[in-house]
Amino acid sequence: TQLLEQSPQFLSIQEGENLTVYCNSSSVFSSLQWYRQEPGEGPVLLVTVVTGGEVKKLKRLTFQFGDARKDSSLHITAAQPGDTGLYLCAGVPPYDYKLSFGAGTTVTVRA
Amino acid sequence: DTGVSQNPRHKITKRGQNVTFRCDPISEHNRLYWYRQTLGQGPEFLTYFQNEAQLEKSRLLSDRFSAERPKGSFSTLEIQRTEQGDSAMYLCALQTSQGGTEAFFGQGTRLTVV
């Protein structure tokens, strides 16, 4: 059983459209991270959010941490085929270092 | 380049054989993790080291699994008497020494048990 629930599990959109991926939990996290993983490779860190209510922008990607630090979202504007991949959220419980991952959202952007 | 090298990248083995994977940090990180990832799932924590000390092991880590980090640098993960259920991607990850929680992953070792 994974601590973090991601939705949707799969997302297929046309180039230029927007998408949002959600990461929810009943647990509080001291920080939450988003990773992107391509087939046959390890996850690559995109962003870390630490403060409740925090919003971070990385070019066309916007990350939000919930006020209660239990949930997060990733929004991609004007998606491109290069955004295709598995998006993973990972939370760090208070007083801990190790990451607990969600099951991931597979995003496919069609040209 | 994430600063983590894993070898081999792929391993196919027969059921019952032993396998060993290696993780080499390119730079110094005092926390080193092993994760396992199966198809359609996120990585699951197996074990972690702070320098050479193994501080925590998951319940997923059966007696057939053993990990070492003899000098606080590289680490090995050995699986004895492999089973088909061991087939997965095994990932090594590092965290910095300055208290941050960001993890830098290697490219993983894909194990297939036939």
Side-chain angles (χ1 to χ4, degrees):
Chain A
T1 304
Q2 294 186 281
L3 214 55
L4 286 160
E5 297 289 332
Q6 283 190 244
S7 61
Q9 189 177 355
F10 300 97
L11 198 53
S12 180
I13 59 170
Q14 201 70 33
E15 182 177 5
E17 293 181 340
N18 302 334
L19 69 96
T20 303
V21 176
Y22 298 94
C23 177
N24 295 295
S25 177
S26 57
S27 301
V28 174
F29 297 102
S30 61
S31 67
L32 195 139
Q33 298 164 23
W34 285 91
Y35 292 79
R36 181 166 160 267
Q37 185 178 23
E38 298 194 13
E41 302 291 329
V44 175
L45 178 68
L46 296 174
V47 78
T48 300
V49 285
V50 176
T51 306
E54 182 177 3
V55 176
K56 277 193 175 177
K57 291 192 175 182
L58 192 70
K59 297 184 181 178
R60 293 177 296 100
L61 278 60
T62 301
F63 304 87
Q64 187 161 5
F65 201 13
D67 291 341
R69 293 186 293 146
K70 293 182 180 180
D71 54 84
S72 181
S73 64
L74 157 61
H75 182 78
I76 302 179
T77 304
Q80 299 175 358
D83 295 326
T84 292
L86 177 67
Y87 288 83
L88 295 158
C89 66
V92 180
Y95 312 112
D96 201 348
Y97 291 110
K98 66 179 183 291
L99 302 171
S100 293
F101 282 86
T105 295
T106 300
V107 171
T108 304
V109 182
R110 305 184 304 275
Chain B
D1 183 4
T2 62
V4 189
S5 175
Q6 288 191 246
N7 287 289
R9 293 291 310 278
H10 304 275
K11 178 72 177 177
I12 300 174
T13 190
K14 290 184 178 179
R15 190 175 50 184
Q17 297 293 304
N18 300 341
V19 294
T20 300
F21 312 138
R22 182 173 168 123
C23 172
D24 280 275
I26 295 174
S27 55
E28 283 194 19
H29 291 78
N30 68 342
R31 290 196 297 275
L32 184 150
Y33 295 78
W34 285 98
Y35 284 84
R36 180 172 69 189
Q37 186 177 24
T38 53
L39 205 58
Q41 297 296 319
E44 294 175 299
F45 168 77
L46 291 179
T47 188
Y48 103 92
F49 292 84
Q50 176 120 351
N51 300 314
E52 65 273 11
Q54 189 174 16
L55 294 188
E56 188 172 345
K57 293 194 286 188
S58 163
R59 285 172 294 173
L60 294 174
L61 214 63
S62 76
D63 292 345
R64 297 184 297 105
F65 288 69
S66 62
E68 293 184 343
R69 194 182 185 197
K71 295 182 181 178
S73 57
F74 74 93
S75 176
T76 58
L77 177 68
E78 181 184 14
I79 309 175
Q80 297 183 323
R81 305 182 302 281
T82 52
E83 301 172 357
Q84 286 189 320
D86 297 331
S87 294
M89 173 80 93
Y90 290 85
L91 294 161
C92 175
L94 306 176
Q95 283 177 335
T96 65
S97 307
Q98 281 75 38
T101 58
E102 291 84 358
F104 300 94
F105 284 83
Q107 292 173 307
T109 295
R110 168 71 66 188
L111 173 67
T112 303
V113 182
V114 297

